[in-house]
Amino acid sequence: MWDLIFQGVFDGNGHTISNYHIAASWTYNVSLFRTASGNFTMRDMTFENCSSEKPNNRNTGLLVGTIGGGKITFENVDMKDSHVNGVSGAGGYVGNMTEGALYFIDCDVDNVTLTASSATGYNGMFLRDGYSYHDLPESGVWVENCTITNSKSFVNGVEDAQVKEYNYTK
């Protein structure tokens, strides 16, 4: 599960990634980066008309499948006209976080759709599902100066009244 771990900086230098689509049958981490851990920063880029799909169980995220600890930062990373589909849930930016400190700074979302096909599924635009088994002060999710507009979340065919930013339990 923890293969293909990305650490470091992914700097878009103001560029846009358009029209990428990822669909996979493997169980975990269907996303641009399967796993990020340690110190990971993604900054200064836009994702437009992109999609991620998980056709069987588990969840998916458009940018990172799972965060396994450390300090993870998304800064000025925008998402437009995209969709994420999963069975148990969908995360716009991140599918799952098992430990760590997750920061979203100046990230704007416009016209993004999250879909969970399971009746017990749930979605989160920035983080679909996160938890910390350790009560560490550096564990958690912080969203600063971010917007979500014209976006939707569906669970088992029913539209959520509001798109959640994230789901996190400490």
Side-chain angles (χ1 to χ4, degrees), residues 40-137:
F40 170 82
T41 299
M42 181 181 287
R43 66 177 173 234
D44 298 327
M45 60 192 322
T46 299
F47 291 86
E48 187 169 6
N49 195 32
C50 298
S51 64
S52 178
E53 295 182 63
K54 179 68 181 123
N56 50 18
N57 65 358
R58 306 283 187 213
N59 59 293
T60 186
L62 188 64
L63 304 183
V64 175
T66 292
I67 292 172
K71 181 180 178 186
I72 312 299
T73 304
F74 292 88
E75 186 171 3
N76 194 31
V77 177
D78 299 334
M79 194 177 295
K80 298 178 185 180
D81 305 321
S82 297
H83 66 272
V84 183
N85 299 323
V87 174
S88 62
Y93 287 73
V94 178
N96 186 46
M97 181 172 85
T98 60
E99 291 293 338
L102 180 56
Y103 296 88
F104 296 94
I105 303 164
D106 298 322
C107 296
D108 296 321
V109 177
D110 184 44
N111 196 33
V112 173
T113 301
L114 306 176
T115 304
S117 59
S118 169
T120 59
Y122 53 94
N123 302 319
M125 189 58 71
F126 296 113
L127 171 65
R128 182 254 174 202
D129 184 37
Y131 55 89
S132 176
Y133 288 125
H134 305 99
D135 192 18
L136 303 173

Side-chain angles (χ1 to χ4, degrees), residues 5-11 36-42 71-73:
I5 296 173
F6 186 84
Q7 295 181 347
V9 176
F10 187 70
D11 191 332
S37 189
N39 287 317
F40 170 82
T41 299
M42 181 181 287
K71 181 180 178 186
I72 312 299
T73 304

Side-chain angles (χ1 to χ4, degrees), residues 137-153:
E138 64 272 13
S139 295
V141 180
W142 292 267
V143 177
E144 301 172 14
N145 198 34
C146 298
T147 62
I148 300 172
T149 56
N150 304 314
S151 296
K152 297 179 181 179
S153 172

